[in-house]
Amino acid sequence: MSSDTYYIGIDLGTTNCCACVLEPNNRTSVISYDNGDRLLRSIVCFNSDGTITVGKAGLKPREITKGNVVTNAKRIFGMAYDSSHVSLMKNYCRAKVVKGDDGNAGFFIPSLNRIVMPEEISMYLIKEMYSHALAKIDGRPIGSVTITVPATYTLAQRALTRDAAIKAGITVPIRILNEPTAAALAYGLDNEKEQKIMVYDLGGGTFDVSVIEIGDGVIEVLSTAGNNRLGGDDFDQKITDYMLADFKAKEGVDLST
């Protein structure tokens, strides 16, 4: 690594995103946003006035009602509209899920009167994180940008992620890294003896378990499995359903409507 070069890492999550800068002295700093948060909610709102709001501020009740707010886009990222998984995930995305021109699932956004694909949502999220990272670096040279993706991502999904990053304005080399590999690197396990380790990843939209092998400076994902319908959002939904049902039984009022 060059003595004066900075590097940017991006975790493009289902419910939250995070970005950090690796400085030449190997010091890592997490990017914060205008509201002071160091997590960027994976939300994009296409406002009725033509503007776009990225992050937590995009949760606007009026725009949600109109179908202009997209959440959980990663849950249907690069997936066929006719798949059973997409049919189960539709309700998590807030915006209306429809079939795109390529047969994959996308969102019909009334304020735009067109379909927006999940990779476009990723583009807006990456653009927001990248712009804040650039502001922190303040014109200093950037070596590359690394974006983490699930180990289960197909080559097509990885290519869509790379394309989203390019459209977000990233001109330096882009590296796509498996999330369990990133976890092993973050804990410094690549500097230890040759070994096999298991990485648990319980995120907002998935629960994955991966076995990775470390040796001779190489980290390889040997196997991965999990449930892409089990995550923090699913826990929240179960709690919400329970409270709604309990209130309706006691008070006779259906708050879900």
Side-chain angles (χ1 to χ4, degrees), residues 46 67-70 95-96 107-116:
F46 299 91
N68 293 326
V69 177
V70 178
K96 183 179 181 181
F107 310 99
F108 179 76
I109 306 299
S111 65
L112 301 177
N113 194 31
R114 68 173 177 87
I115 296 174
V116 171

Side-chain angles (χ1 to χ4, degrees), residues 20-54:
C20 70
V21 171
L22 177 63
E23 300 177 3
N25 58 5
N26 284 333
R27 179 176 177 270
T28 303
S29 55
V30 179
I31 300 299
S32 59
Y33 302 93
D34 297 338
N35 58 5
D37 290 345
R38 298 203 297 175
L39 289 178
L40 178 71
R41 290 291 302 274
S42 303
I43 298 167
V44 178
C45 175
F46 299 91
N47 299 295
S48 299
D49 63 4
T51 61
I52 297 174
T53 305
V54 179

